[in-house]
């Protein structure tokens, strides 16, 4: 043999020899090795029950001697049909988790039962095509569908060529339709229904996600609109109201400077000084509101219980007949800032309403800490001395802060004031935000505003005296 001629089967230099054909048993082993252990854990109980049912059916067919094609029977395999049937039933268990292994096992078992003369081969052929079309890959399902038509046609042609009998040919056709085409059509419809359901589920998820994104976009647009509105309000407040308050503060300061020659305690000088103080305080609060609108971050609102007396003094300077008493321990300075701010804002709004709606009428403001049962909750009956000895000490009574602002109702209804109608709702909102309640309305010839706020913890001991600023009332 010429040395230049390569030996048979070696191929050309630099190229790998073609792979040898994989035998069926090796393919079956590869299919088994390809099954992941965690996928085997997903085996359905109904698949195991179906496999057991198939094996019992095979046993019943053998018991009634229901045989397959007798001329194909191999005696060596006839006695081994239980082992062959067991192989096919194990393949049924793996039909969801490993369709390729199922195809090999059920296919080999069906051929083995056919050669053993057992009618169970038709059952395994039915399961082979059904499971492969339903659970196999799209390519495997398509191949199984085409193979079913081919096998049916071959079976009909073979029956006619072998027996030359129309009746047997029809029986062979019916057998092929029932064994091969029916499971393919049935499984194909189920597969389409499953794919359609998955598609609809994915579509519903996409629609839900799109709706969520649209809602998020709408919220972002709403937040942006609110931010733009806040910026616009801040600019308007700064350019209009702030400018006017600044002008009032400057003009009142200039008037005070021009009135240096007047006595320090004259009514005109005191009134100008009061106007300047109010305008400067209002300008500071307005600037705080402008900063709040610009940044969107909450800031500490001014207003404390200690500022109630200066507030009362300013209203008295304006000619309001006003009495004020503060019965809070430590004057209420120990209370949390939100509680103090609520008390101050409600008192300020109530005094402003009294001056606007009942001018010239006396106004009384009182602040006290009372027990809740004194505020309307029924008190318990006192215990006897014997009961007192047996009972454990009761917890300290719950206390609440009560602010009362009352004014005489005018005999004649004054002319309509330019109010906005938001004073009482605003006070009620502040009270509810602080955990309390607020009522406002006529009562016994008076207009009474009553604020109740819970006090945190046990109430401290009241001081020896109560602050009372009733003296110095102005007519």
């Amino acid at each position: 043999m010429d040395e230049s001629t390569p030996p048979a089967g070696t191929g050309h230099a630099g190229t790998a020899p073609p792979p040898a054909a994989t035998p069926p048993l090796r393919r079956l082993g590869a299919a088994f090795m390809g099954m992941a252990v965690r996928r085997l854990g997903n085996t359905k109980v109904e698949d195991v029950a179906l496999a057991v049912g198939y094996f019992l059916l095979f046993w019943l067919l053998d018991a009634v001697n229901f045989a397959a094609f007798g001329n194909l029977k191999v005696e060596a395999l006839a006695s081994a049909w239980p082992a062959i049937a067991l192989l096919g039933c194990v393949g049924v268990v793996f039909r969801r988790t490993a369709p390729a292994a199922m195809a090999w096992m059920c296919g080999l078992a069906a051929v083995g039962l056919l050669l053993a003369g057992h009618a169970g081969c038709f059952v395994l052929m039915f399961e082979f095509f059904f499971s492969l079309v339903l659970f196999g890959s799209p390519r495997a399902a398509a191949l199984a569908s085409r193979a079913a038509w081919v096998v049916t046609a071959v079976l009909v042609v073979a029956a006619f060529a072998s027996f030359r009998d129309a009746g047997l040919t029809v029986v062979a056709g019916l057998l092929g339709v029932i064994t091969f085409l029916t499971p393919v059509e049935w499984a194909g419809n189920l597969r389409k229904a499953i794919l359609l359901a998955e598609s609809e589920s994915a579509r519903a998820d996409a629609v839900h996600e799109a709706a969520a994104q649209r809602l998020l976009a709408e919220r972002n647009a709403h937040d942006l609109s609110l931010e733009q509105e806040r910026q616009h309000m801040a600019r308007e407040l700064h350019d209009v109201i702030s400018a006017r308050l600044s002008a009032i503060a400057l003009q009142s300061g200039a008037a005070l400077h021009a009135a240096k020659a007047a006595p320090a305690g004259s009514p005109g000088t005191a009134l100008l000084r009061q106007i300047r103080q109010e305008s400067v305080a209002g300008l500071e609060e307005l600037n705080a509101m402008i900063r709040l609108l610009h940044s969107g971050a909450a800031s500490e609102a001014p207003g404390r219980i200690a500022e109630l007396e200066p507030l009362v003094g300013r209203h008295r300077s304006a000619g309001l007949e006003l009495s004020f008493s503060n019965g809070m321990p430590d004057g209420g300075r120990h209370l949390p800032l939100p509680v103090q701010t609520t008390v101050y804002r409600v008192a300020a709004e109530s005094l402003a309403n009294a001056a606007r709606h009942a001018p010239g009428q006396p106004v009384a403001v009182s602040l006290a800490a009372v027990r809740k049962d004194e505020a309307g909750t029924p008190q318990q009956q006192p215990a006897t001395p014997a009961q007192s000895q047996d009972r454990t000490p009761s917890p300290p009574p719950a206390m609440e802060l009560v602010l009362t602002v009352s004014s005489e109702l005018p005999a004649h209804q004054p002319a309509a004031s330019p109010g906005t109608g938001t004073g009482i709702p605003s006070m009620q909102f502040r009270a509810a935000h602080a955990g309390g309640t607020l009522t406002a309305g006529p009562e016994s010839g008076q207009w009474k505003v009553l604020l109740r706020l819970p006090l945190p913890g046990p109430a401290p001991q009241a001081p020896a005296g109560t602050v009372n600023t009733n003296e110095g009332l102005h007519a």
Side-chain angles (χ1 to χ4, degrees):
M1 182 173 56
D2 190 1
E3 294 182 358
S4 61
T5 303
T10 58
H12 296 284
T15 61
T22 306
L25 292 179
R26 185 174 296 179
R27 292 183 183 179
L28 181 60
F32 274 113
M33 296 301 295
M35 292 190 301
V37 176
R38 63 173 178 269
R39 291 181 61 189
L40 296 180
N42 297 329
T43 302
K44 301 293 184 180
V45 178
E46 52 265 29
D47 294 339
V48 177
L50 181 62
V52 174
Y54 279 161
F55 193 82
L56 294 178
L57 178 61
F58 298 156
W59 200 282
L60 178 62
L61 291 176
D62 182 74
V64 299
N65 198 21
F66 192 84
F69 300 105
N71 55 349
L72 298 178
K73 185 175 181 180
V74 178
E75 295 296 336
L77 297 176
S79 60
W81 74 264
I84 301 173
L86 181 62
L87 176 64
C89 292
V90 172
V92 173
V93 174
F94 296 146
R95 64 177 190 160
R96 297 176 192 264
T97 56
M102 179 278 307
W104 280 105
M105 297 170 71
C106 287
L108 291 176
V111 174
L113 290 178
L114 180 63
L115 296 178
H118 200 288
C121 61
F122 302 112
V123 178
L124 285 182
M125 278 297 176
F126 186 99
E127 183 62 36
F128 171 86
F129 284 101
F130 181 85
S131 298
L132 199 58
V133 173
L134 182 58
F135 301 113
S137 63
R139 182 171 178 269
L143 290 176
S145 299
R146 289 194 292 267
W149 284 96
V150 172
V151 172
T152 303
V154 170
L155 181 61
V156 172
V157 173
F160 181 78
S162 299
F163 302 102
R164 302 290 180 172
D165 188 350
L168 292 177
T169 304
V170 172
V171 171
L174 291 176
L175 185 63
V177 169
I178 296 174
T179 307
F180 307 124
L181 298 184
T182 298
V184 167
E185 186 67 19
W186 185 11
N189 291 335
L190 289 177
R191 188 183 184 100
K192 291 177 182 178
I194 293 173
L195 292 177
L196 180 60
E198 292 177 353
S199 176
E200 289 297 327
S201 177
R203 180 177 176 274
D205 293 341
V207 170
H208 180 73
E209 181 66 21
Q213 294 295 332
R214 183 168 59 254
L215 180 60
L216 181 60
E218 290 176 356
R219 289 179 179 176
N220 292 336
H222 180 68
D223 293 342
L224 180 60
S225 176
L226 290 180
E227 179 65 23
Q228 293 175 350
E229 185 177 354
R230 286 199 303 267
Q231 297 293 334
H232 176 71
M233 291 175 61
R235 288 192 298 269
E236 291 297 321
L237 289 175
H238 179 269
D239 296 341
V240 180
I241 309 300
S242 179
R244 290 185 179 274
L245 286 178
S246 298
I248 293 174
L250 291 175
Q251 292 172 3
S252 60
L256 284 174
H257 183 73
K260 285 183 177 180
S266 62
T269 303
L271 183 58
L272 286 174
R273 185 175 291 107
Q274 183 66 29
I275 292 174
R276 176 170 174 77
Q277 290 177 357
E278 289 292 332
S279 61
V280 171
L283 186 60
E284 291 178 355
E285 294 184 2
L286 183 60
N287 289 333
M289 185 178 299
I290 292 174
R291 288 191 296 269
L292 172 62
L293 290 174
H294 270 299
S295 62
S299 59
E300 182 179 298
R304 291 170 174 80
I305 292 181
E307 300 176 9
L308 286 178
E309 291 190 24
L311 176 66
V312 169
R314 290 194 294 270
H315 280 277
R316 283 174 178 167
S317 300
L320 185 65
E321 184 178 351
L322 181 62
S323 64
F324 173 65
S325 64
N326 185 353
M328 292 293 298
D330 194 26
R333 294 177 175 84
H334 66 282
L335 297 177
L337 180 60
V339 175
Q340 296 194 44
T341 300
T342 301
V343 172
Y344 178 82
R345 292 300 180 189
V346 170
E349 180 68 21
S350 301
L351 291 177
N353 289 340
R356 183 183 302 115
H357 299 288
Q361 300 297 325
V363 181
V365 180
S366 65
L367 186 65
V370 300
R371 294 175 56 178
K372 284 191 176 181
D373 50 16
E374 295 177 2
T377 304
Q379 298 188 21
Q380 297 180 354
Q381 296 295 332
T384 61
Q387 292 174 340
S388 302
Q389 294 177 359
D390 296 338
R391 291 183 179 178
T392 58
S394 59
M399 305 293 290
E400 66 178 1
L401 179 148
V402 177
L403 171 68
T404 306
V405 181
S406 58
S407 60
E408 298 289 339
L409 291 174
H412 301 285
Q413 186 69 20
S417 61
T420 61
T422 60
I424 294 178
S426 176
M427 291 189 294
Q428 291 175 339
F429 175 80
R430 286 184 178 275
H433 188 68
T437 59
L438 183 138
T439 58
E443 182 180 333
S444 303
Q446 292 184 331
W447 181 270
K448 179 179 289 186
V449 177
L450 185 62
L451 171 67
R452 302 182 187 275
L453 295 177
L455 291 176
Q461 296 296 327
T466 300
V467 177
N468 194 325
T469 60
N470 289 336
E471 67 276 2
L473 298 178
H474 296 272

